[in-house]
Amino acid sequence: MKQKRLFVWLLCGALMITGLAACGDPDGGDEPPTGKEEAFKNAIIPYVDHTVIPTYKGMADNAILMSEACDEIYDAFKAGNLTTDMVKTAGKYWNESRAYWEKSEAWLYGPAADYNIDPHIDSWPLDKVAMDGLLKRLNNGEEWSIDIAGYGLLGFHAVEYMLFELDATGDNSLPHSTNYSEAELIYLCAVAADLRDQCLLLESAWAGYDNITAAKQELLTEAELVVGVNYGSYMKNAGQPGSIYKTYQAAVEDLIQGCVDIADEVGNTKIGRPANGSSTEDKNYIESPYSLNSINDFYDNIISIENAYAGSREGDASVSDYIKSVNAALDAEVLDLIKQSKEAIRAIPEPFAKSATSAEADKAVTLVGTDLRDKLEEVMTELSKY
């Protein structure tokens, strides 16, 4: 089963880049000293090549496998031999792709924002009432397509709802029952293919269309999602003609701001809203509730901060290296808070829907949403010195 995207992205070069404000020197003055720029360049190149692009590649690779597994579910259903193991396999690839996505959320600037990919594939919480209503209408013969769907019924969480379900206690996630209808499986395959295409778009927009596989190029062409953007090249070639970044400092500031933003979101929204909110809406503001993947989501978000700040490969230069050279105490504090944040999140029990108001969750709210976020803001201040 395949569902084409019926609109065309024709952006190229630096058009529609919402990060244009980052192009110039943040103080509007002279460019940073050469030594400082060289340090930032040395950090940005491995950040793009060894962290951002491989993360999106892993996400896209597993999204392809997930979509293929969903097609196999449909084919088996039609042949009358659908098994729970087939649903479980699709769920496995969902989990793998999901983990890469969460490990990318420290860099939601650039293509993820410019092309609305973030809300397209990761709007949450899923509106269960709307989803059940849609499935009922589909079973009654209503026509539907990706192009008329709102983000709330697309992406990771729509696929999650179709591949996972909770047991009667709500304490365990199981593969979805094989008791699908044909209309429901047509929907699942369409949404899984759309999710796959958006993941491919992210990889292509950071690595460059010419640097992804021919098979991936074909899928993007079929989906009419080919764009003339190479955001990784923009960052790696800061200050050069064609780049949206005037300096490497501007690129590093985007990197750190992305870390600040996701620390704030994890601490004060993903964990903090259900932990401290007073309304029913707040208490139900749970990410990945049907797969019981919430804690993994939060943890992987901190990994994204760690990889962006300190690098994901041993021996690579990083922003951490620069901060250590000018303020070793600050660097040590950031790294320690990242470690503490990971430990605090891992201490929260699943299901998060039942532990959101626990002491463990409250501790993580403070560590991530205040302590780590504020310390990363100090890093941003440090970047503008000297």
Side-chain angles (χ1 to χ4, degrees):
M1 300 293 298
K2 292 184 178 180
Q3 179 75 37
K4 284 191 177 181
R5 194 83 179 136
L6 298 181
F7 55 83
V8 184
W9 299 86
L10 294 177
L11 302 181
C12 62
L15 291 178
M16 298 295 288
I17 299 295
T18 58
L20 281 173
C23 295
D25 181 69
D27 298 320
D30 296 333
E31 294 183 5
T34 301
K36 185 179 181 183
E37 273 292 275
E38 189 68 20
F40 289 155
K41 177 181 179 180
N42 291 339
I44 282 293
I45 290 176
Y47 164 70
V48 171
D49 288 341
H50 298 165
T51 295
V52 176
I53 293 174
T55 301
Y56 282 145
K57 180 182 182 299
M59 180 178 69
D61 289 348
N62 282 281
I64 290 171
L65 294 171
M66 177 200 66
S67 179
E68 291 173 349
C70 290
D71 290 346
E72 289 170 7
I73 290 172
Y74 177 80
D75 292 340
F77 171 86
K78 293 286 284 183
N81 58 8
L82 176 59
T83 68
T84 297
D85 280 346
M86 293 177 181
V87 180
K88 190 174 182 178
T89 295
K92 170 183 176 292
Y93 291 128
W94 181 93
N95 274 305
E96 293 293 333
S97 186
R98 178 73 182 169
Y100 279 109
W101 166 248
E102 294 300 301
K103 288 173 184 172
S104 79
E105 289 204 356
W107 50 92
L108 289 178
Y109 55 86
D114 298 338
Y115 304 131
N116 293 318
I117 299 172
D118 179 20
H120 189 140
I121 68 174
D122 199 27
S123 288
W124 57 275
L126 180 79
D127 188 337
K128 185 179 185 302
V129 173
M131 173 63 82
D132 289 340
L134 172 63
L135 295 177
K136 182 177 180 179
R137 295 194 303 275
L138 292 176
N139 285 324
N140 289 332
E142 179 175 302
E143 293 185 2
W144 178 89
S145 74
I146 290 292
D147 304 284
I148 63 173
Y151 290 156
L153 299 178
L154 296 175
F156 277 108
H157 298 298
V159 177
E160 176 195 13
Y161 189 70
M162 302 299 293
L163 293 179
F164 300 90
E165 61 186 25
L166 298 177
D167 67 7
T169 68
D171 292 334
N172 300 288
S173 177
L174 308 171
H176 193 285
S177 164
T178 58
N179 189 29
Y180 295 103
S181 70
E182 182 173 5
E184 289 168 350
L185 289 180
I186 290 172
Y187 167 79
L188 168 61
C189 292
V191 174
D194 178 68
L195 173 56
R196 172 203 68 198
D197 293 342
Q198 295 296 313
C199 293
L200 290 171
L201 179 58
L202 271 173
E203 182 188 357
S204 172
W206 271 92
Y209 180 79
D210 292 340
N211 297 318
I212 62 173
T213 66
K216 289 177 177 179
Q217 291 176 358
E218 183 177 353
L219 287 169
L220 283 175
T221 299
E222 182 180 343
E224 299 180 329
L225 286 173
V226 177
V227 297
V229 168
N230 185 331
Y231 202 90
S233 179
Y234 292 160
M235 293 198 93
K236 292 193 296 180
N237 293 287
Q240 301 301 311
S243 174
I244 65 170
Y245 289 100
K246 181 181 177 183
T247 64
Y248 285 103
Q249 177 168 326
V252 168
E253 287 175 352
D254 265 4
L255 182 158
I256 294 300
Q257 187 60 53
C259 294
V260 171
D261 291 344
I262 194 60
D264 183 70
E265 182 179 353
V266 172
N268 296 314
T269 300
K270 292 187 176 189
I271 305 175
R273 184 167 173 181
N276 300 318
S278 58
S279 68
T280 300
E281 181 182 0
D282 288 329
K283 296 181 188 305
N284 291 330
Y285 206 77
I286 308 293
E287 190 173 26
S288 304
Y290 302 103
S291 58
L292 293 188
N293 203 59
S294 302
I295 305 305
N296 287 336
D297 283 353
F298 309 153
Y299 186 88
D300 286 339
N301 284 165
I302 306 305
I303 293 292
S304 76
I305 294 173
E306 183 174 45
N307 288 345
Y309 178 73
S312 55
R313 290 193 186 183
E314 187 175 354
D316 279 350
S318 66
V319 178
S320 171
D321 291 333
Y322 172 77
I323 296 299
K324 184 177 181 179
S325 73
V326 296
N327 189 336
L330 174 58
D331 177 64
E333 289 172 328
V334 172
L335 295 175
D336 184 58
L337 281 169
I338 288 172
K339 180 176 180 289
Q340 288 187 58
S341 295
K342 291 192 297 182
E343 292 171 349
I345 288 169
R346 277 289 181 233
I348 306 171
E350 281 282 17
F352 182 61
K354 294 184 177 182
S355 65
T357 57
S358 66
E360 293 88 348
D362 193 56
K363 179 180 179 181
V365 169
T366 301
L367 268 172
V368 181
T370 299
D371 298 343
L372 178 57
R373 179 203 61 195
D374 291 354
K375 198 58 63 176
L376 288 165
E377 288 180 340
E378 289 183 34
V379 169
M380 182 70 84
T381 300
E382 197 71 31
L383 295 176
S384 64
K385 294 181 180 179
Y386 312 108

